[in-house]
């Protein structure tokens, strides 16, 4: 096991640190990598292979999973149990398995051992369920983006300002336009997004951005 590299990619938190310590205690050649974006890429592992454990709390975590898989690493994703869309995206990107970060450390260690030993960590039915969730989430994002694409540049800027907490009066002052113009933009936004309130429009924009990430 000691010859098989295990890279744990994640923020400086208790889960990531504890996992590295536990892996080393179990004889793995484990090390922590501080990556918070796509970066220059993962080096190809030695002929014996290697494992990358990606903490999905990182903003670009799904991209890191895909990058590691393309470089030839087996990949294990761990993340928050309620962030199912991101977990599904990681599985779709090629992760061998997903384990909630709330799971005991020994569960994560056993998952790494199973991957190294060539044993499946995820049942076929479970993988299919994750992939179906990802397809559903992507379809939802695509539908919402089509609605957002209907907005003019000025309307989208108004929506972004509303999302940041600005009132219509403040937007009018900043944009140097009449209050009636801003209200017209807001009405058009609600119609194009097919929602009934500014709060619903903001929620749609935020959720689309979250799922897209």
């Amino acid at each position: 096991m000691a010859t098989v590299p295990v890279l744990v990619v994640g923020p400086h938190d208790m889960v990531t640190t504890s996992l590295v310590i536990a892996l080393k205690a179990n004889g793995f050649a484990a090390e922590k990598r501080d990556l918070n974006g796509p970066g220059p890429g993962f080096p190809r592992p030695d002929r014996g292979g290697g494992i990358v454990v990606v903490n999905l709390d990182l903003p670009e975590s799904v991209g890191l999973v895909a990058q590691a898989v393309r470089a030839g690493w087996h990949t294990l994703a761990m993340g928050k149990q309620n962030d199912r869309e991101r977990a599904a995206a990681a599985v779709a990107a090629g992760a061998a398995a997903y384990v909630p970060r709330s799971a005991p450390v020994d569960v994560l260690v056993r998952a790494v051992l199973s991957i190294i030993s060539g044993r499946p960590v995820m049942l076929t039915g479970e993988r299919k369920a994750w992939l179906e969730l990802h397809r559903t989430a992507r379809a939802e994002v695509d539908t919402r983006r089509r609605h957002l694409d209907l907005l003019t540049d000025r309307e989208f800027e108004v929506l972004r300002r509303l999302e940041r907490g600005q009132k219509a009066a403040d937007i009018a002052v900043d944009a140097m336009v009449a209050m009636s113009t801003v209200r017209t933009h807001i009405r058009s936004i609600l119609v194009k997004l097919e929602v009934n309130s500014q709060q619903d429009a903001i929620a749609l924009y935020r959720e689309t951005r979250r799922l897209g990430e």
Side-chain angles (χ1 to χ4, degrees), residues 59-196:
E60 300 292 339
S61 56
V62 175
L64 290 171
V65 169
Q67 187 182 96
V69 171
R70 286 195 301 270
W73 295 78
H74 299 291
T75 308
L76 175 67
M78 64 175 181
K80 296 175 182 175
Q81 199 155 10
N82 61 351
D83 197 352
R84 291 175 54 80
E85 292 89 355
R86 182 166 291 189
V91 173
Y98 162 76
V99 178
R101 56 172 291 170
S102 58
V105 174
D106 64 323
V107 172
L108 289 163
V109 172
R110 287 200 301 270
V112 171
L113 180 59
S114 294
I115 294 174
I116 289 177
S117 303
R119 298 194 301 269
V121 185
M122 182 179 294
L123 298 176
T124 301
E126 186 181 0
R127 179 172 293 279
K128 286 183 177 179
W130 282 118
L131 294 176
E132 181 58 32
L133 174 59
H134 179 64
R135 283 192 290 270
T136 301
R138 290 305 310 167
E140 185 176 345
V141 169
D142 290 342
T143 298
R144 292 180 176 184
R145 279 179 173 166
R146 283 196 293 271
H147 284 88
L148 288 168
D149 286 343
L150 296 174
L151 303 181
T152 65
D153 291 344
R154 184 60 60 86
E155 289 166 353
F156 188 70
E157 179 61 25
V158 169
L159 177 59
R160 289 179 60 192
R161 288 175 178 271
L162 290 172
E163 192 268 339
R164 292 198 296 264
Q166 281 193 287
K167 304 297 184 183
D170 299 325
I171 296 173
V173 171
D174 288 348
M176 294 183 291
V177 297
M179 181 70 169
S180 58
T181 300
V182 176
R183 293 197 181 281
T184 297
H185 287 322
I186 293 175
R187 285 194 296 270
S188 180
I189 290 169
L190 300 186
V191 170
K192 290 179 179 179
L193 298 187
E194 299 181 4
V195 294
N196 298 317

